[in-house]
């Protein structure tokens, strides 16, 4: 079978029964189930949610995004083989570990296929919850420009690039465009302070200020769980993004849960420990792909300068990357997933057909 056939590039065209538009993001597509199908599955499968809770099928793809663009390769390769299954497997592993360690639940109720989650609808907290253990990326760029206040946190003088920070830092940013919040620009992904969250907790969809303390605890505890486990593999958990939301369980209790993906190469930086101790940075995350792109194109400013977005979109659309670049990224995703989970990531021969067959035969969601 052609390698391109093993990649799930389009994931918003499955014949899943729904009466709402399919929401398709950069990587995942969400199919909201009908009220009748949601009620039936909750009853049949015994999910710990309210009987009338809305459910969705969330399907990951193998697409790869970087610098706000979707990239493709030669030979009709519209994604990275194994990427979707690797991301889901890693998140599934961490969510289970969180539960085993007494942390919060996630939005995932069931896993019918390596590419598929059945999830409950949550009311999202409008915060990109970012944790940093090392100074790199956007924080380092700001630091080199003289900034010492980062999300209201005072950074010490004399830090060096990629150095471990004196303490774990929580540097939240906005999730989406939020309006009418004092001192917070109306733009996506804007850094905010803890004081901003407390003073405007309702605008960020927190129920009360105590939940800000709880979200910070879940953030720090989740980061520590993943960091400790990666350390056993001699991998360094550098920084990551978590997302949170509210759901109601069978007993009617509203609770804060983890949402989206956690601890994956897409949402985190993961460095090889041996290389770091030797003064090198070897990425086991999507940051490696970003660096490949910066080195591959003769004018990397197009990828870094947001004022050149039309050129950037054209660059991604008009350039099929060499297949060996995407296969290099495939090895990073599947390799770190296999290290973390201890299980092989197997490429599906025809992922879309597999998904349709399972959702039809075992969940009666396809006519």
């Amino acid at each position: 079978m052609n390698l391109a056939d093993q990649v799930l590039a389009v994931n918003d065209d499955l014949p899943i029964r729904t009466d709402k538009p399919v929401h398709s993001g950069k990587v995942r597509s969400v199919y909201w189930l009908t009220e009748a199908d949601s009620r039936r599955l909750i009853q049949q499968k015994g999910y710990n949610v309210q009987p009338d809770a809305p459910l969705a099928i969330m399907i990951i793809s193998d697409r790869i995004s970087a610098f706000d663009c979707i990239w493709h390769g030669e030979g009709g390769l519209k994604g990275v083989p194994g990427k979707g299954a690797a991301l889901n497997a890693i998140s599934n592993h961490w969510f289970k570990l969180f539960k085993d360690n007494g942390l919060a639940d996630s939005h995932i109720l069931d896993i019918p296929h390596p590419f598929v989650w059945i999830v409950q609808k949550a009311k999202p907290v409008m915060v990109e919850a970012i944790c940093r253990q090392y100074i790199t990326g956007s924080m380092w760029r700001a630091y080199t420009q003289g900034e010492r206040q980062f999300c209201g946190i005072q950074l010490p003088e004399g830090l060096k690039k990629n150095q471990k920070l004196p303490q774990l830092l929580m540097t939240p940013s906005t999730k989406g465009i939020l309006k009418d919040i004092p001192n917070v620009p109306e733009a996506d992904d804007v850094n905010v302070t803890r004081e901003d969250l407390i003073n405007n907790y309702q605008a960020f969809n927190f129920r009360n200020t105590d939940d800000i303390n709880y979200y910070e605890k879940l953030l720090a505890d989740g980061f520590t769980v993943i960091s400790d486990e990666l350390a056993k593999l001699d991998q360094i958990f550098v920084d990551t993004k978590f997302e949170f939301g509210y759901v109601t369980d069978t007993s009617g209790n509203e609770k804060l849960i983890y949402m989206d993906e956690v601890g994956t190469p897409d949402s985190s930086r993961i460095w090889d420990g041996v290389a770091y101790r030797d003064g090198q940075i070897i990425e086991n995350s999507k940051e490696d792909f970003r660096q490949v792109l910066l080195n591959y194109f003769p004018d990397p400013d197009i990828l870094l300068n947001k004022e050149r977005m039309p050129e950037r979109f054209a660059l991604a659309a008009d350039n099929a990357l060499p297949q060996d670049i995407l296969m290099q990224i495939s090895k990073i995703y599947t390799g770190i997933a296999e290290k973390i989970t201890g299980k092989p990531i197997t490429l599906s021969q025809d992922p879309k057909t597999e998904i349709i067959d399972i959702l039809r035969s075992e969940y009666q969601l396809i006519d």
Side-chain angles (χ1 to χ4, degrees):
M1 177 174 282
N2 190 308
L3 184 61
D5 294 333
Q6 297 180 272
V7 168
L8 184 60
V10 179
N11 58 348
D12 62 355
D13 63 347
L14 281 81
I16 297 169
R17 195 162 49 246
T18 180
D19 52 11
K20 296 180 177 64
V22 178
H23 172 73
S24 190
K26 289 180 181 176
V27 174
R28 299 179 188 274
S29 287
V30 179
Y31 299 73
W32 290 105
L33 300 185
T34 65
E35 182 179 350
D37 280 328
S38 290
R39 285 181 175 274
R40 174 178 59 80
L41 285 182
I42 290 168
Q43 184 176 26
Q44 289 178 352
K45 305 293 184 179
Y47 299 143
N48 182 24
V49 297
Q50 291 281 286
D52 60 349
L55 304 187
I57 303 296
M58 188 175 285
I59 298 179
I60 198 167
S61 72
D62 290 314
R63 293 191 300 271
I64 187 161
S65 68
F67 301 109
D68 298 314
C69 296
I70 302 293
W71 301 86
H72 66 284
E74 297 170 343
L77 205 54
K78 301 296 185 182
V80 173
K83 176 179 180 282
L87 290 179
N88 271 8
I90 292 170
S91 284
N92 298 341
H93 180 83
W94 297 137
F95 283 138
K96 181 180 183 303
L97 207 57
F98 288 177
K99 199 166 185 177
D100 292 346
N101 280 270
L103 306 186
D105 290 333
S106 77
H107 61 326
I108 301 171
L109 300 172
D110 206 346
I111 307 171
H113 181 274
F115 280 77
V116 181
W117 289 339
I118 296 180
V119 301
Q120 58 186 315
K121 186 174 185 178
K123 185 174 182 181
V125 172
M126 304 307 288
V127 172
E128 301 278 5
I130 299 168
C131 240
R132 303 173 189 268
Q133 194 164 230
Y134 291 75
I135 184 164
T136 190
S138 62
M139 177 178 277
W140 174 250
R141 289 192 293 273
Y143 192 83
T144 60
Q145 294 167 7
E147 293 186 34
R148 295 296 181 266
Q149 283 271 343
F150 204 86
C151 295
I153 301 166
Q154 184 69 35
L155 297 179
E157 296 291 339
L159 294 178
K160 294 180 171 57
K161 186 179 182 182
N162 301 329
Q163 177 182 338
K164 189 171 185 179
L165 292 161
Q167 63 190 54
L168 184 65
L169 299 185
M170 299 180 194
T171 58
S173 62
T174 55
K175 177 181 171 63
I177 298 173
L178 305 182
K179 298 181 180 295
D180 302 322
I181 302 178
N183 304 317
V184 177
E186 294 183 3
D188 185 28
D189 198 24
V190 173
N191 287 343
V192 294
T193 67
R194 189 176 195 275
E195 186 178 12
D196 291 327
L197 299 183
I198 292 173
N199 292 341
N200 307 279
Y201 69 90
Q202 290 175 311
F204 289 99
N205 278 357
F206 284 107
R207 294 290 182 267
N208 50 58
T209 54
D210 285 343
D211 278 359
I212 295 174
N213 297 327
Y214 185 46
Y215 122 86
E216 289 179 333
K217 183 179 187 306
L218 291 178
L219 181 55
D221 288 351
F223 191 98
T224 300
V225 165
I226 296 175
S227 183
D228 289 349
E229 289 300 309
L230 285 176
K232 296 175 185 177
L233 303 172
D234 209 357
Q235 300 293 303
I236 298 171
F237 201 36
V238 179
D239 55 36
T240 196
K241 177 196 75 173
F242 286 20
E243 296 186 31
F244 297 91
Y246 288 93
V247 297
T248 304
D249 64 18
T250 305
S251 304
N253 300 313
E254 188 178 59
K255 57 186 182 181
L256 196 62
I257 62 164
Y258 295 99
M259 284 176 53
D260 201 48
E261 61 184 7
V262 291
T264 70
D266 269 14
S267 64
S268 318
R269 282 187 180 88
I270 302 170
W271 292 342
D272 181 79
V274 173
Y276 182 77
R277 291 190 295 274
D278 287 341
Q280 304 174 57
I281 298 297
I282 293 180
E283 294 278 357
N284 281 316
S285 57
K286 190 168 70 176
E287 187 62 26
D288 183 82
F289 180 58
R290 289 167 57 90
Q291 295 303 317
V292 167
L293 293 176
L294 289 171
N295 292 328
Y296 181 73
F297 291 106
D299 185 5
D301 183 69
I302 295 176
L303 300 174
L304 298 173
N305 188 343
K306 288 191 175 182
E307 294 181 0
R308 302 180 69 179
M309 290 305 295
E311 293 174 85
R312 191 187 305 180
F313 290 137
L315 199 70
D318 298 342
N319 287 274
L321 300 172
Q323 194 172 104
D324 61 350
I325 286 181
L326 294 187
M327 293 312 297
Q328 172 189 333
I329 304 305
S330 174
K331 289 179 181 177
I332 289 175
Y333 277 90
T334 58
I336 193 65
E338 290 173 350
K339 273 187 178 181
I340 289 170
T341 66
K343 300 175 183 176
I345 299 296
T346 303
L347 293 186
S348 299
Q349 293 303 304
D350 186 350
K352 188 169 290 187
T353 298
E354 292 176 8
I355 292 168
I356 290 171
D357 288 347
I358 288 172
L359 293 182
R360 176 182 287 127
S361 63
E362 297 185 23
Y363 293 84
Q364 296 81 51
L365 293 173
I366 294 177
D367 297 323

